[in-house]
Short mmCIF file of all heavy atoms in Angstrom, two decimals:
data_model
loop_
_atom_site.label_atom_id
_atom_site.label_comp_id
_atom_site.label_asym_id
_atom_site.label_seq_id
_atom_site.Cartn_x
_atom_site.Cartn_y
_atom_site.Cartn_z
N SER A 80 108.37 108.56 93.65
CA SER A 80 107.74 109.84 93.27
C SER A 80 106.24 109.64 93.04
O SER A 80 105.68 110.07 92.03
CB SER A 80 108.39 110.43 92.01
OG SER A 80 109.73 110.71 92.23
N SER A 81 105.60 108.99 93.98
CA SER A 81 104.18 108.68 93.84
C SER A 81 103.30 109.86 94.27
O SER A 81 103.79 110.87 94.74
CB SER A 81 103.84 107.44 94.66
OG SER A 81 104.15 107.66 96.02
N TYR A 82 102.01 109.69 94.10
CA TYR A 82 101.03 110.72 94.40
C TYR A 82 99.76 110.04 94.89
O TYR A 82 99.59 108.84 94.74
CB TYR A 82 100.73 111.57 93.15
CG TYR A 82 100.44 110.72 91.94
CD1 TYR A 82 99.14 110.29 91.68
CD2 TYR A 82 101.45 110.31 91.07
CE1 TYR A 82 98.86 109.49 90.59
CE2 TYR A 82 101.18 109.51 89.98
CZ TYR A 82 99.88 109.10 89.74
OH TYR A 82 99.61 108.30 88.68
N THR A 83 98.85 110.81 95.46
CA THR A 83 97.61 110.23 95.98
C THR A 83 96.62 109.92 94.87
O THR A 83 96.02 108.86 94.85
CB THR A 83 96.94 111.17 96.99
OG1 THR A 83 96.75 112.45 96.37
CG2 THR A 83 97.78 111.32 98.24
N ASN A 84 96.44 110.85 93.97
CA ASN A 84 95.59 110.64 92.79
C ASN A 84 96.01 111.67 91.74
O ASN A 84 96.65 112.67 92.06
CB ASN A 84 94.10 110.73 93.13
CG ASN A 84 93.70 112.06 93.70
OD1 ASN A 84 93.76 113.08 93.02
ND2 ASN A 84 93.31 112.07 94.97
N ILE A 85 95.65 111.44 90.51
CA ILE A 85 96.15 112.27 89.42
C ILE A 85 95.63 113.71 89.49
O ILE A 85 96.32 114.65 89.12
CB ILE A 85 95.86 111.63 88.04
CG1 ILE A 85 96.77 112.21 86.95
CG2 ILE A 85 94.42 111.77 87.66
CD1 ILE A 85 98.20 111.81 87.06
N ARG A 86 94.43 113.90 90.03
CA ARG A 86 93.89 115.26 90.15
C ARG A 86 94.74 116.08 91.12
O ARG A 86 95.11 117.21 90.82
CB ARG A 86 92.44 115.21 90.61
CG ARG A 86 91.81 116.59 90.67
CD ARG A 86 90.36 116.53 91.18
NE ARG A 86 89.79 117.85 91.25
CZ ARG A 86 89.12 118.46 90.29
NH1 ARG A 86 88.92 117.85 89.15
NH2 ARG A 86 88.65 119.67 90.46
N ASP A 87 95.06 115.51 92.28
CA ASP A 87 95.91 116.21 93.24
C ASP A 87 97.30 116.46 92.66
O ASP A 87 97.89 117.53 92.87
CB ASP A 87 96.05 115.42 94.54
CG ASP A 87 94.79 115.43 95.37
OD1 ASP A 87 93.87 116.22 95.06
OD2 ASP A 87 94.72 114.64 96.33
N ALA A 88 97.82 115.48 91.95
CA ALA A 88 99.15 115.63 91.35
C ALA A 88 99.16 116.77 90.33
O ALA A 88 100.05 117.62 90.35
CB ALA A 88 99.58 114.32 90.70
N ALA A 89 98.17 116.80 89.47
CA ALA A 89 98.10 117.84 88.44
C ALA A 89 97.88 119.22 89.06
O ALA A 89 98.40 120.22 88.56
CB ALA A 89 96.98 117.53 87.45
N ALA A 90 97.15 119.28 90.15
CA ALA A 90 96.86 120.56 90.79
C ALA A 90 98.08 121.11 91.52
O ALA A 90 98.15 122.32 91.79
CB ALA A 90 95.71 120.41 91.78
N ASN A 91 99.05 120.25 91.82
CA ASN A 91 100.17 120.69 92.66
C ASN A 91 101.55 120.59 92.03
O ASN A 91 102.53 120.90 92.69
CB ASN A 91 100.15 119.92 93.97
CG ASN A 91 98.93 120.27 94.79
OD1 ASN A 91 98.77 121.40 95.22
ND2 ASN A 91 98.03 119.32 94.97
N ILE A 92 101.64 120.20 90.78
CA ILE A 92 102.97 120.17 90.17
C ILE A 92 103.41 121.59 89.87
O ILE A 92 102.58 122.46 89.56
CB ILE A 92 103.02 119.28 88.90
CG1 ILE A 92 102.02 119.76 87.84
CG2 ILE A 92 102.82 117.83 89.23
CD1 ILE A 92 102.14 119.02 86.52
N PRO A 93 104.69 121.85 90.00
CA PRO A 93 105.18 123.23 89.86
C PRO A 93 104.81 123.90 88.54
O PRO A 93 104.55 125.11 88.51
CB PRO A 93 106.69 123.08 90.00
CG PRO A 93 106.87 121.87 90.84
CD PRO A 93 105.75 120.95 90.45
N ILE A 94 104.76 123.16 87.46
CA ILE A 94 104.48 123.78 86.15
C ILE A 94 103.08 124.40 86.08
O ILE A 94 102.84 125.31 85.30
CB ILE A 94 104.70 122.77 85.00
CG1 ILE A 94 104.85 123.50 83.68
CG2 ILE A 94 103.58 121.76 84.94
CD1 ILE A 94 105.38 122.64 82.57
N THR A 95 102.17 123.94 86.93
CA THR A 95 100.82 124.50 86.91
C THR A 95 100.66 125.72 87.82
O THR A 95 99.60 126.32 87.85
CB THR A 95 99.76 123.45 87.31
OG1 THR A 95 99.98 123.05 88.67
CG2 THR A 95 99.79 122.26 86.38
N LEU A 96 101.71 126.07 88.54
CA LEU A 96 101.62 127.17 89.50
C LEU A 96 101.06 128.45 88.88
O LEU A 96 100.14 129.06 89.42
CB LEU A 96 103.00 127.45 90.11
CG LEU A 96 103.06 128.56 91.15
CD1 LEU A 96 102.18 128.19 92.35
CD2 LEU A 96 104.48 128.80 91.60
N ILE A 97 101.55 128.83 87.74
CA ILE A 97 101.07 130.06 87.10
C ILE A 97 99.62 129.94 86.63
O ILE A 97 98.85 130.89 86.67
CB ILE A 97 102.00 130.48 85.94
CG1 ILE A 97 101.69 131.91 85.51
CG2 ILE A 97 101.90 129.52 84.78
CD1 ILE A 97 102.72 132.50 84.59
N TYR A 98 99.22 128.75 86.20
CA TYR A 98 97.87 128.55 85.66
C TYR A 98 96.80 128.41 86.74
O TYR A 98 95.63 128.65 86.48
CB TYR A 98 97.84 127.32 84.76
CG TYR A 98 98.81 127.42 83.62
CD1 TYR A 98 99.96 126.65 83.59
CD2 TYR A 98 98.58 128.31 82.57
CE1 TYR A 98 100.87 126.76 82.55
CE2 TYR A 98 99.49 128.43 81.52
CZ TYR A 98 100.63 127.66 81.52
OH TYR A 98 101.52 127.77 80.50
N ARG A 99 97.21 128.04 87.93
CA ARG A 99 96.24 127.85 89.02
C ARG A 99 95.48 129.13 89.35
O ARG A 99 94.39 129.08 89.90
CB ARG A 99 96.96 127.36 90.29
CG ARG A 99 97.43 125.95 90.19
CD ARG A 99 98.09 125.52 91.48
NE ARG A 99 99.35 124.87 91.17
CZ ARG A 99 100.36 124.72 91.99
NH1 ARG A 99 100.28 125.20 93.21
NH2 ARG A 99 101.45 124.12 91.62
N ARG A 100 96.04 130.27 89.02
CA ARG A 100 95.42 131.55 89.34
C ARG A 100 94.34 131.98 88.35
O ARG A 100 93.57 132.87 88.61
CB ARG A 100 96.50 132.62 89.41
CG ARG A 100 97.51 132.32 90.47
CD ARG A 100 98.62 133.30 90.50
NE ARG A 100 99.62 132.85 91.47
CZ ARG A 100 100.75 133.44 91.68
NH1 ARG A 100 101.06 134.51 90.99
NH2 ARG A 100 101.58 132.98 92.58
N PHE A 101 94.33 131.32 87.20
CA PHE A 101 93.36 131.68 86.17
C PHE A 101 92.01 131.02 86.44
O PHE A 101 91.94 129.87 86.86
CB PHE A 101 93.85 131.25 84.78
CG PHE A 101 95.01 132.04 84.28
CD1 PHE A 101 96.26 131.46 84.20
CD2 PHE A 101 94.87 133.37 83.91
CE1 PHE A 101 97.35 132.17 83.74
CE2 PHE A 101 95.95 134.10 83.45
CZ PHE A 101 97.20 133.50 83.37
N PRO A 102 90.93 131.75 86.18
CA PRO A 102 89.60 131.14 86.32
C PRO A 102 89.47 129.97 85.35
O PRO A 102 89.97 130.02 84.23
CB PRO A 102 88.63 132.25 85.94
CG PRO A 102 89.43 133.50 85.85
CD PRO A 102 90.86 133.12 85.73
N GLY A 103 88.84 128.95 85.78
CA GLY A 103 88.61 127.80 84.92
C GLY A 103 89.71 126.74 84.96
O GLY A 103 89.61 125.73 84.28
#
Side-chain angles (χ1 to χ4, degrees):
S80 298
S81 59
Y82 49 87
T83 55
N84 60 66
I85 200 71
R86 183 182 179 91
D87 288 348
N91 294 295
I92 59 174
I94 198 166
T95 64
L96 181 62
I97 193 167
Y98 302 108
R99 288 182 228 159
R100 299 176 185 175
F101 290 109

